[in-house]
Amino acid sequence: MRYILFTLLLLSITFADSLEIYPRSAKMKSGSSIHFSVVATDQDGNMYTPQGINWIASYGNVRGGMYTAPSQHGNYTVTARWRGYTATANIKIKRPQNTIKSIVITPRNQKVEINRGVYFKAIAYDHYNREVPLRAAKWWADGGKIDQNGYYRASYRPGRYTVWVQDTYSGLKASTSVEIFRKVVQPPRLHHIAITPRNQRIGVGAYVQLKAIGYDSYNRPVSFTPKWWCDGGTVSANGYYQAPNRPGYYKVWVQDNYGIKTSTTVEVIRSTIPHNPPSHGSHIYKIVITPRNQRIAVGKGVYLKAIAYDKYDRVVNFRGKWWCDGGTINENGYYQAGYKPGTYTVWVQDNRSRVKASTNVTILRNTVPPYNPPQHGGKARIEVTHWDVNKGNLFSRSRVRVKFTVHGKKAHKVALFGIYPTGKVVELRSASCSNGENLHFREKYSYNISRLELRVYNSWDKEIAKYSGSGR
């Protein structure tokens, strides 16, 4: 009985004779997948599917017979092992078209002011240095935040940081550096000088009063001590020019103490020019607007002056009509900027002769805060060194960041107020202060607020100083 039972057990055990894998070879593209199956054959020629197969890939990923091709092209193998038997399939990975070989970030090595932004773009090239699409770009950076469109927003911490981009499909990546710096607002410094009136035409022995106006790099007027000289005739320290008795073209220069200078040309002619002063009804030959080509912040204002001249370049009194295509301007030449940045034109015209002149005004979203010169004898004053406004929108609140110094022995408290177009005033933040103290406010406020004000109070809550700025 024992012999018979042992014989039956031996007959029930199946021994494999071979192991086959299907398909035995395949051609694939990078990233594609294929399923391999394994069939075992016993000694009697019976075929069955074995269980517990160990899968091995020379390169790529295989799990449960499912093989995913890698991004690198080449020839690879997939091997199935079971009970000492092995079966191998050959895989050929084709080189995909438009394969990315390198990535370049542009612009490179940017300098960005704190809390400002810059757009980066990633450009991919193939093996023939042809530009190819980069459809799977992943951005990240330190020192700030960057979205998946390449927009980098700098933090408040100055320094040198790195921006990366990677093609998640091929694994290639590139980087560039970005330097975050803190912009220091300096008091106005003379940048250029303008002489008015320019290119005069006067008779021999006649005279003309010249005026020199200094401007900083933001076209804000700056006072300076002019030094006049000329190559013909005489000019006084006040710009009073006397023509020589010889006709011709002569240069008149003006310079400050640091070497910044400019010049104008005076044409001296022999023809007689009336010596009597021009009357109000004299014929107007031209009109000049000064200062020209101004740059101001949204909501700010600037005074423009129109000077009329007759054909002898003598100043003529007139009453002009002002108008503009952006912002508002009154009859006295005071221009009030709107809240839409851009370059606009301002005109003035003489109602009688129809002679007109024009100049450009550029409205900026953020400009350098106006310089507040020291004031003596006042109760207090506010010196603003940084004024940064982000207008926000209907879905995100507006934000203001301001740095300032309070001057005044009676200063006790400072508050930041928001003012609506209707005149409603709300307090955004307040803090105690003292003479010479540096303060920093960073607050969010409603999108509808159009103006912001800093107010300083004494210990009896009486306002002793105020600074007003645009809220949008």
Side-chain angles (χ1 to χ4, degrees):
M1 181 63 69
R2 292 180 180 177
Y3 175 77
I4 296 174
L5 180 60
F6 180 72
T7 303
L8 291 175
L9 289 174
L10 289 176
L11 292 174
S12 64
I13 297 175
T14 303
F15 294 95
D17 184 58
S18 63
L19 192 69
E20 298 288 340
I21 186 171
Y22 297 97
R24 293 186 176 89
S25 63
K27 294 181 179 180
M28 303 175 62
K29 294 182 179 180
S30 298
S32 61
S33 299
I34 188 173
H35 186 270
F36 289 95
S37 60
V38 175
V39 176
T41 306
D42 60 14
Q43 296 176 350
D44 297 327
N46 298 317
M47 302 177 65
Y48 60 94
T49 301
Q51 302 295 323
I53 298 174
N54 183 21
W55 294 92
I56 302 173
S58 62
Y59 192 54
N61 185 24
V62 61
R63 179 177 294 179
M66 181 64 70
Y67 175 76
T68 302
S71 59
Q72 184 67 32
H73 67 281
N75 297 319
Y76 308 107
T77 59
V78 174
T79 303
R81 292 181 179 178
W82 180 73
R83 294 186 179 180
Y85 294 92
T86 61
T88 302
N90 296 318
I91 307 295
K92 183 177 182 179
I93 308 299
K94 299 179 181 179
R95 182 195 297 270
Q97 295 181 354
N98 299 332
T99 303
I100 295 176
K101 180 183 178 182
S102 61
I103 303 174
V104 176
I105 297 177
T106 179
R108 298 190 60 80
N109 305 325
Q110 283 292 286
K111 291 184 178 180
V112 186
E113 186 182 349
I114 57 174
N115 199 33
R116 299 291 184 180
V118 61
Y119 272 102
F120 289 101
K121 183 180 180 181
I123 304 175
Y125 297 92
D126 63 7
H127 290 75
Y128 303 98
N129 286 329
R130 298 175 300 185
E131 185 174 338
V132 294
L134 184 62
R135 301 186 180 90
K138 178 183 178 182
W139 293 89
W140 71 97
D142 54 12
K145 294 182 179 180
I146 189 168
D147 61 21
Q148 294 310 302
N149 295 320
Y151 179 73
Y152 178 81
R153 184 78 172 186
S155 64
Y156 288 96
R157 186 175 181 181
R160 186 176 293 273
Y161 302 96
T162 307
V163 175
W164 292 273
V165 66
Q166 184 179 25
D167 176 35
T168 57
Y169 180 70
S170 63
L172 292 177
K173 63 181 180 180
S175 65
T176 186
S177 63
V178 57
E179 181 181 351
I180 301 176
F181 66 94
R182 188 185 306 278
K183 187 174 182 180
V184 179
V185 179
Q186 299 290 345
R189 297 181 59 182
L190 185 65
H191 181 265
H192 60 276
I193 304 172
I195 297 178
T196 181
R198 293 188 59 81
N199 304 326
Q200 289 295 283
R201 188 167 173 260
I202 61 177
V204 292
Y207 60 86
V208 63
Q209 178 66 56
L210 302 177
K211 184 179 180 181
I213 305 174
Y215 297 94
D216 66 1
S217 58
Y218 300 96
N219 279 334
R220 299 179 298 182
V222 179
S223 61
F224 73 103
T225 303
K227 179 183 177 182
W228 295 89
W229 75 95
C230 59
D231 61 0
T234 59
V235 61
S236 68
N238 297 324
Y240 183 83
Y241 177 77
Q242 179 84 35
N245 294 324
R246 183 179 179 180
Y249 291 90
Y250 300 94
K251 282 278 190 179
V252 179
W253 288 273
V254 64
Q255 177 180 311
D256 77 331
N257 295 329
Y258 298 96
I260 298 176
K261 65 181 179 179
T262 189
S263 65
T264 186
T265 302
V266 178
E267 180 186 2
V268 179
I269 60 176
R270 194 175 297 280
S271 61
T272 58
I273 297 178
H275 292 286
N276 56 316
S279 63
H280 181 74
S282 298
H283 180 71
I284 295 177
Y285 180 73
K286 65 178 179 180
I287 301 174
V288 177
I289 298 176
T290 180
R292 297 187 59 80
N293 304 326
Q294 287 293 285
R295 296 169 70 242
I296 60 176
V298 292
K300 297 295 183 179
V302 62
Y303 271 103
L304 301 177
K305 184 178 180 181
I307 305 174
Y309 300 91
D310 64 6
K311 64 180 180 179
Y312 302 106
D313 281 331
R314 298 179 302 177
V315 177
V316 179
N317 295 327
F318 82 108
R319 188 175 184 85
K321 176 184 177 182
W322 293 89
W323 75 96
C324 59
D325 61 1
T328 59
I329 189 168
N330 62 17
E331 59 182 8
N332 296 322
Y334 180 75
Y335 177 81
Q336 179 77 37
Y339 290 96
K340 185 177 180 180
T343 301
Y344 302 95
T345 306
V346 177
W347 291 273
V348 64
Q349 178 176 298
D350 175 45
N351 295 328
R352 182 179 177 183
S353 63
R354 300 298 180 182
V355 177
K356 64 181 179 179
S358 65
T359 185
N360 293 328
V361 177
T362 302
I363 301 176
L364 305 176
R365 174 67 63 189
N366 288 318
T367 59
V368 177
Y371 172 64
N372 295 323
Q375 301 175 1
H376 302 285
K379 296 180 180 179
R381 65 182 178 88
I382 304 172
E383 181 182 354
V384 176
T385 58
H386 186 83
W387 186 276
D388 183 16
V389 177
N390 182 358
K391 68 174 184 176
N393 51 46
L394 296 176
F395 305 98
S396 64
R397 295 175 64 83
S398 304
R399 174 195 52 74
V400 60
R401 185 169 182 261
V402 57
K403 293 182 180 181
F404 59 96
T405 305
V406 176
H407 300 279
K409 295 182 179 180
K410 296 183 179 181
H412 179 71
K413 183 183 77 170
V414 61
L416 177 65
F417 291 91
I419 303 175
Y420 289 84
T422 59
K424 179 182 176 182
V425 180
V426 295
E427 181 178 314
L428 303 177
R429 183 176 176 181
S430 63
S432 60
C433 64
S434 59
N435 182 27
E437 184 176 1
N438 297 321
L439 296 170
H440 173 208
F441 284 172
R442 183 181 180 185
E443 290 297 321
K444 292 184 177 180
Y445 60 93
S446 172
Y447 173 75
N448 296 321
I449 291 177
S450 61
R451 190 158 54 91
L452 300 170
E453 282 188 358
L454 286 170
R455 300 178 184 177
V456 178
Y457 299 89
N458 59 17
S459 57
W460 292 279
D461 281 338
K462 183 178 179 181
E463 182 182 313
I464 57 176
K466 182 171 67 175
Y467 180 93
S468 180
S470 172
R472 282 190 282 167

